[in-house]
Amino acid sequence: MEYKLRPYQSEACRSIMAEFEQGTKRTLLILPTGGGKTIVLSGIAYRFTYDRNRNPTGGKVLILAHQNILIDQAADKFQTVMELPVFREQGRQTGCLEPVTVSSMQTMQRRLDRFPSDFFRLIIIDEAHHAMSAGYQRILEHFTDARVLGVTATPDRADGKKLSCFESVAFEYTIKQAIDDGYLVPLKVKRAPLTINLSKVRKRRGDIDAADLGSIIEPYLHQIAEIVHDMAKSRRTVCFVPLIRTAKKAAEIFSHYGFRAAWTAGEDEDKTEKLADFAAGEYDIIFNSMLLTEGWDCPETDCVIVLRPTMSRALYVQMVGRGLRLASGKKDCLLIDFLFQNDKFTLASPKDILGDNRSRSGGGGMAPWMTGGGQQTDAEQRLAQALEKAGKKFQDPREIEKWRQVLENAPINELFDPPCSEGQKKKLKAMKLDASVLTYSQADAILKAAEAERMPSNAMRWRLSQLGYSDEEIAGMNFPAARKALAKQKAMGRW
């Protein structure tokens, strides 16, 4: 199957290969949702694995992502676009038997001992704003000889951590450019005549607290339904809300206003069927709690409502981007913008979609967080030296087998993962662990695991024995279990 590349896709391919040819090992491609990244990545992968006559060169390419839905999409699209076999490294399938392999980050980091460090010539990281996580870094540190290409629509991270594992931005094509060039539909913004006060909402893990947001948003749902009915009743709408509870309530309330409404979330067993029905036009609006920000495409979506205000530009762009793809008969995407009144948060807004916040970088442009041709500033060097000196006193938990296992198995939402809190740092330092290399969720996982290993004190053991617990029962308790047992007995009034 032949594909005609769009001009910016051709430029992206040339720029990426130019970066690698001039010695750059790790570079970044920034394309908006709907920008056709698969075409570009397929072309790059082909050049690393086949010659011009479609003969294998022996080179191997690894495509990594952090969600199964992204892995499935990569495998299906690469096989369709390239008309070449793609191997899925998952479950019992192992060995990377084809020139192109797709794998989840979680699977590959558990199987690194099966592959030599020079096994892959190229590693492609989908949704590369996650690449700074410990799992991805462990993979990149293993395959030291591989070139690395990261691709993302949103190189920003909510935790403020920069994508410093990439040396350059090979090519960037913004949402505004794609809209101006006709490759995404225009974004039409309407301000909703409703003000929602966020003064009582707290900040948590680098963004606005979802539980607080749910309590604030839910009393407004009837008014919101009336507004959406007036503004967008004839459109196919996706609405982002903070909680599953909020999504369920919203779907019920909107149905009373004449909408064919549904809700979904990661825990929803019927989500696949609901999303298929939404794509088929069976629903007018679907409410979701953080499920549809990555890896979901329904080009017919022509209205987006963000009832989950966020400080993260990356998250905001992901949400609004769900409605910008081209589709037959689709003229634009309506963004209904609610006014969130607050004096505490700097919220992402429509200007973050339409504003050209970063200058376009073609062929060799440096990442915006790099200075002086990629060299560190004096201040950065001093900070790095200070951290290195301090780090000698403490161990990197990622290099300790016990804690590495904990980090690998911990469920971590990297998009909302700020650095360690001060309280966590104190506890980790007491354990002689280097807190500077961990995020909030990673630190939390280690501290919980350490708590589970902690044994009851002698006083706790004595109290349990006095309450009738046998020596065998007490011996089988860790500190949290003993504390829970004592709390239960105290609640019963036994001491």
Side-chain angles (χ1 to χ4, degrees), residues 186 188 190 228 231-238 259-260 278 283-285 300-304 330-336:
K188 181 179 180 180
K190 283 188 178 181
V228 176
M231 286 188 172
K233 181 62 177 71
S234 61
R235 292 179 179 260
R236 199 173 313 184
T237 304
V238 59
F259 288 90
R260 296 173 299 167
F278 178 76
Y283 294 115
D284 304 310
I285 187 168
E300 291 75 18
T301 300
D302 61 350
C303 180
V304 175
K330 182 176 174 181
K331 296 180 179 179
D332 56 34
C333 174
L334 173 62
L335 171 61
I336 299 180

Side-chain angles (χ1 to χ4, degrees), residues 146-170:
R147 294 287 192 270
V148 180
L149 172 61
V151 59
T152 181
T154 53
D156 317 73
R157 286 176 59 99
D159 57 14
K161 189 182 293 184
K162 304 302 182 184
L163 297 183
S164 54
C165 61
F166 295 98
E167 302 166 43
S168 70
V169 174

Side-chain angles (χ1 to χ4, degrees), residues 157-159 205 412-419 439-442:
R157 286 176 59 99
D159 57 14
R205 296 192 179 187
I412 293 172
N413 187 342
E414 295 161 355
L415 199 59
F416 299 102
D417 212 0
T439 64
Y440 183 99
S441 297
Q442 291 170 334

